[in-house]
Amino acid sequence: YKVLAGEGFNPDTQDLRSIGFPLSGLRCLILDRARRPVAPGLEGELYLIGPTLASGYINSQAMTRDSFIMLDLAGETVCAYKTGDAVMQTPQGDIVYLGRIDKQVKFRGYRVDLNEIRDCCLAVPGVKEARALMLRDGAAQLILYAQTDAQQCEGQASISAHLQRVLPAYMQPNQIVLVDAFPSTRS
């Protein structure tokens, strides 16, 4: 996790997006990967706790299990909502949004998981490797890069047809780019 507080930290000059303070009846916890509280100025994941919190997602046990976590707080077990948002608390107590912990992006008004698009592409016969990215050069666009075995994969058309069958319209890439290989370093 990044250390943002301390010497050289100036919230007036940093590119910080404050999300303020919790609403009445909610508590915010900022926890590290081991679900331990982090000190102000350290990055962690935002968890929400309180009586106004839902107890899960309707008809989705898997999403409920992943997002609604039982935490032990000073001997009391409470249900907390794991937001997936990376945040930090400033020395003044304000909560600042830093981004997402997972590969979700906001696109076309929806939260889109780029790994889900990649995984759907990898299900196409002949696709060896894939990466989905959101580019923000003007209007935001979803771009899917795919490395294929030309003898097994029929190219962009087969990838596009498969994605149209398995993904909702808002998750469809604007462009599918076939690459010979993905760049890599020696390490």
Side-chain angles (χ1 to χ4, degrees):
Y1 293 110
K2 297 181 268 188
V3 176
L4 299 176
E7 203 169 307
F9 176 77
N10 182 349
D12 297 328
T13 61
Q14 301 291 334
D15 181 24
L16 301 176
R17 293 172 278 178
S18 173
I19 56 175
F21 298 90
L23 297 171
S24 178
L26 278 179
R27 282 182 51 205
C28 293
L29 298 177
I30 302 173
L31 306 177
D32 65 13
R33 289 186 182 114
R35 296 192 181 131
R36 296 175 305 220
V38 299
L42 295 180
E43 180 180 336
E45 184 172 4
L46 179 64
Y47 287 73
L48 302 175
I49 297 172
T52 59
L53 189 66
S55 59
Y57 290 102
I58 295 174
N59 300 325
S60 183
Q61 291 178 348
M63 285 177 62
T64 297
R65 186 176 46 253
D66 292 342
S67 298
F68 290 85
I69 310 295
M70 299 309 286
L71 293 176
D72 182 22
L73 298 179
E76 178 188 0
T77 302
V78 297
C79 180
Y81 176 66
K82 182 179 188 298
T83 67
D85 293 328
V87 299
M88 64 159 269
Q89 188 173 29
T90 67
Q92 294 77 27
D94 204 19
I95 297 172
V96 175
Y97 176 77
L98 301 172
R100 293 288 300 166
I101 295 214
D102 53 21
K103 293 288 186 180
Q104 285 188 356
V105 295
K106 191 83 169 206
F107 185 68
R108 297 177 181 151
Y110 295 92
R111 284 198 185 229
V112 174
D113 187 335
L114 297 175
N115 287 337
E116 186 176 351
I117 297 170
R118 179 206 61 206
D119 293 346
C120 289
C121 181
L122 290 172
V124 175
V127 174
K128 296 178 180 179
E129 197 172 340
R131 298 283 184 275
L133 302 172
M134 185 172 83
L135 301 180
R136 287 191 175 118
D137 187 18
Q141 294 188 44
L142 279 179
I143 309 295
L144 176 67
Y145 295 91
Q147 178 185 3
T148 63
D149 179 341
Q151 296 172 337
Q152 293 181 343
C153 181
E154 297 173 21
Q156 291 171 322
S158 66
I159 295 170
S160 181
H162 175 75
L163 295 179
Q164 287 176 13
R165 283 192 305 272
V166 299
L167 291 174
Y170 67 87
M171 290 179 73
Q172 296 299 319
N174 296 88
Q175 187 177 1
I176 298 172
V177 179
L178 299 182
V179 296
D180 294 327
F182 285 95
S184 61
T185 62
R186 290 180 197 208
S187 61

